[in-house]
Amino acid sequence: MEFGLSLEQRQFDDSLRSFLKDRLPMDRLRALAEPGMGFDPSLWNGLAELGLHGLIVPERFGGAGLGILDAAVAAEALGNAAAPVPFAGSLVMAPLAFIDSATEAQQDEYLPGIASGEIRVAVAFSGFGGQTGTARASLEDGRLSGRITGVMDAASATHFLVYLPDGHAAVVAADATGVSTKVNRSIDRTRPMTDVTFDAAPAERLGAANAPLVAAQTVLDAGRVVLAADTMGAAQHMLDAAVAFAKERVQFGRVIGSFQGVKYMLSDCVTVLEPCRGMVWYAAHAQDAIQDEARLTACHTKAHLAEVARDVARITTEAHGGMGFTDLLGLHYWFKRIMFNRQVLGGPERCREEAAQLQGWTLHA
Amino acid sequence: MDLALSEEYQALQAEIRAFIATHGHKSPKVGGGRKRPDQKTLDWQKLLVEHGYAGRTIPQEYGGFGAKPDVMASAVIAGEFGRANVYAGLTNQGISMLVPTLLEVGTDEQKKAYVGPTIRGDIIWCQGYSEPGNGSDLANAQTKAELKDGFWVVNGQKIWTSSAHYADMMFLLCRTEPEKSKHEGLSYLLLSMNSPGLDRRPLKTMTGRSEFNEVFFTDVKVPETQIVLGRGKGWYVANVTLKHERLMIGDAGKMTARLEQLIKLLQKSEIDGVPLIRISEYRDRLLRLQGEVIAWKAHNLRLLTEAAQDVDSGVKRMIVKYGGTMLGFRLSSLAVDALGAAGLPYESAGEDAEDDDATTWNIDYMYDVGLMIGGGSNNIQKNIIGERGLDLPREPKVQGTVAIGRG
C-alpha cells in the first residue's frame, strides 16, 4: 500500500507550478481578470507544451492517457495560481465524455483536437447537475433547442457538449447557426459564466452511451472532484499568504503571528485544510480505480472542500486585517475562486443530499 | 497511488477476519472511557496476545508474540478490529509507556516480572509524573525519595494520576539527588500501589467516575532494586517513556467505527414515528460528519504511508490530536442529540459491568472533553501547530520559565 503521489505526478506538479509562477505574476493575473473571460491564448498554448490538454486523452488520440488523480494534481496547481484556464470543463469533463460515450468516429473527430488544444468543449448540464439557474434542452432530428444558463469554461469554447435530461449528450459547434451565447463576467474574474441559447442548432448525439445517466454522472463526479482540487489549491494559497503576512506584519512591537489570537486562527485553518488534500486524492483515485466509492466520495469531497475552504477563505482574509479586504493584495481572487467552485456543479447541500440518496437515507431513495 | 495491500498483509487481514468470525462474540463493548478491565476484557486480552493482535512486538521470552515492529501490520489490525466494531485490546499507560521503557532500559528481572502480566492486563499501572505545582514542567518534580536501609523512602504528592484508584503499580518520577541540578536529581521507581503510607484519593470527574486521583506518599518504602537504570537517571528514563508515546495511527479506524454506530443510531431512533435519518436536519449533520471522517481516513493513509517510509510528517502529524478530538466530540454530540430526552437517564454501572448504550454515548461525549484537555491540551496543540508546523514566532517568554510542550 502506498497512498500518495508518484514521482512522475510530483514532477508534473512541480513543472506546472513553476510555469504558472513564471507566467502568471499578480500584474498579469490582474490584466486577465479585467476582461474576465477566463482564457488567455498564450497561457493556454504554454500549458499545451506541458501536456495539460491531453492529460486524460488516450495515447492513441495523442494524449497521455492518465487519470482523474493526475487531473486533480493539475487542478490543485491551477487553483493555487488562480489561473484563468477552462480546465475542468474542456480538459477533464469533455474528454471523459468522449472517451466513455462517443463512437469511434466521434472520438477520432474530437479527441485529437482536444489533446492539441484546438478544440475547446464547454460542458453544459441540464437538471441533474444540481446547479441553480435555467437548464432545459431537447434534441429532435439532429436539432438542439433550449436554453442553459451558467455554463462554466465556455467563453472561449469552440463546441458545447449539452447533457439532455435522459443523460445523453449532444455536441454542437459554438459557431453553428441557431447558437447564441452571452458571456457574463462572474464574481470570479478568472472564470466567466456563459448563457447559451439553442434554436434548432445542428447537433450530434454521442452515440455509444449504453447507460447514459450513469455515464453522465461519471462526468459530473469527475468535474466535482476536479473543482474540489481547485478549491484545495486556492485555499492553500490563502493560508500560505496569511502565514507569510503574520510573520511580517508588526503591531504593538511584535509580529502579529506571535499573538495567540492570530496563531490559533491559522492553526485552525491548517488543521481542517490539510486532511482535505488526502480526501481529494482519495476521491480522485476512486474515480480511476474504486468504482464502489466513486460517487459517494465525489459528492462528499465537493461538499466538504466547499465548507472548509469557506472558513479558510474568511479566516485568512481576516488575518490580513484591512489589507485583506482591499484590492491591493489581490487576495480576493482566491476568495472568489473558492466562491465560484462552491456553487457550480452542485453546492454542498445538493451534493450531500445526493450522498444521502446513494445510501438510501432519503424518503424517496 | 496503490491502495491494495501486499499479499503478506492480505494474508494477515484474512487471518484477522477469521479470528473475528470465530471469536468476535467474546469481545467486550467498545468505547465508554476508562476503567479496570473486567474478567471478560481480561479473557479477551489474553486471546489477543496469544494471536499476536496485542503485544505483537513484545519478545516471546517476556510473554509477547515476538513480531518485528511493522506500522502497516498495526494499521491492518486496527483497521480490521475497527471495521468489525470489536474491542482492539487494552490501551493503558502500562502497555503503551512502561513496557517499551522497560524493554529498552530495564533489567532482565524487571522485564520478566512486569512485561508479560502488564500486556495481559493482570498488572495495571499508573504514571506518577504530575504534581500540584508542575503540570507541563515535568523536570521540576519535588516528590522526594531517600535511600535508607535498602529501601527508598518516598514523601510527597502526585496529582492527575489516571487510573491510580484501581492500579496495582506506579512508575514514579521523584527527586533522589537533591544536591544535583533539576534534571540530574531525578530517579524512576517502580512501586506497589498497596504500599503502606500510600494514600490515593480519587478525583471524581464529570462522568461520575473517578478517572484521576491525588496520590499522597508518607514514608512509603520501596525496595532499593525497584529503580530503573539507576540513581539520577530518572529524566533520561522519563524521556524514553515519552518517546514511546504512540502516534495516533489507529484513530481513523475508531472514528469509522463510531460513525457506523452513529448511522445505526439515527436509523433506529425515532421522533413521532419517523426515523431521524429521514429528518433532514439530523441527516445533514450526519452527512457532514461522514465527509469529515472520509477526509481523516485519507489523511491517516497519508500518515501511514509516510511512517512506513520513515518520513517525518511534520504539521500533518501535529494536527491529529486537535483535529481528532474535535471530530470525536462532534460525533458523540450528534449521538446524544439523537438519543434526546430518552437518553438522559444515566447510571454509570461502575467498574465491573457494561453500561447501556445511552450511558456509553454520554460518557464518550464527556470523556471527549477530557481528551481535549489531557495529553497536551488543545491550546498547547495549537501552539505546537502554529510554532513548529507553520513556523510562526513564539509568544515572548516570561523571564525564568521553561515551557515543555507535550505533543
Side-chain angles (χ1 to χ4, degrees), chain B residues 204-237:
Chain B
K204 194 170 173 180
T205 73
M206 66 191 296
T207 67
R209 293 211 286 242
S210 300
E211 280 113 354
F212 306 108
N213 300 264
E214 296 174 289
V215 182
F216 297 86
F217 303 85
T218 311
D219 295 331
V220 173
K221 288 169 78 176
V222 181
E224 186 178 357
T225 51
Q226 289 293 88
I227 192 166
V228 179
L229 204 60
R231 294 181 71 142
K233 305 283 191 200
W235 183 244
Y236 177 81
V237 179

Side-chain angles (χ1 to χ4, degrees), chain B residues 34-100:
Chain B
R34 205 178 274 172
K35 50 185 172 180
R36 179 148 195 133
D38 57 13
Q39 194 55 48
K40 188 176 185 182
T41 307
L42 290 174
D43 292 344
W44 181 248
Q45 180 73 10
K46 286 181 181 71
L47 202 57
L48 295 184
V49 172
E50 243 169 67
H51 286 80
Y53 306 138
R56 185 173 181 81
T57 60
I58 309 295
Q60 284 178 350
E61 57 178 316
Y62 303 124
F65 189 72
K68 65 176 178 5
D70 180 340
V71 64
M72 201 61 81
S74 310
V76 169
I77 294 168
E80 289 304 313
F81 279 79
R83 189 168 300 129
N85 196 26
V86 164
Y87 189 68
L90 293 171
T91 49
N92 59 40
Q93 291 172 329
I95 290 170
S96 63
M97 299 171 82
L98 180 77
V99 164

Side-chain angles (χ1 to χ4, degrees), chain A residues 325-344:
Chain A
F325 188 62
T326 68
D327 176 53
L328 293 168
L329 293 182
L331 194 67
H332 62 92
Y333 290 117
W334 285 268
F335 187 99
K336 293 165 182 170
R337 184 114 177 168
I338 289 166
M339 288 177 74
F340 182 100
N341 288 342
R342 182 183 175 100
Q343 307 303 348
V344 292

Side-chain angles (χ1 to χ4, degrees), chain B residues 260-279:
Chain B
E260 294 301 322
Q261 288 172 275
L262 189 54
I263 291 167
K264 287 199 188 98
L265 183 65
L266 264 70
Q267 285 168 330
K268 196 176 64 183
S269 309
E270 296 182 347
I271 292 176
D272 295 337
V274 181
L276 298 184
I277 203 151
R278 304 247 188 243
I279 301 173

Side-chain angles (χ1 to χ4, degrees), chain A residues 95-156:
Chain A
L96 191 61
F98 279 95
I99 292 164
D100 284 353
S101 303
T103 62
E104 274 287 332
Q106 288 168 332
Q107 291 181 340
D108 279 335
E109 190 180 344
Y110 288 94
L111 285 172
I114 290 174
S116 70
E118 287 151 41
I119 295 178
R120 289 184 294 279
V121 184
V123 179
F125 272 95
S126 60
F128 51 83
Q131 200 172 301
T132 57
T134 302
R136 47 185 170 70
S138 60
L139 182 71
E140 269 177 58
D141 303 325
R143 298 279 165 175
L144 185 72
S145 294
R147 176 172 163 74
I148 302 178
T149 60
V151 182
M152 66 168 184
D153 293 350
S156 66

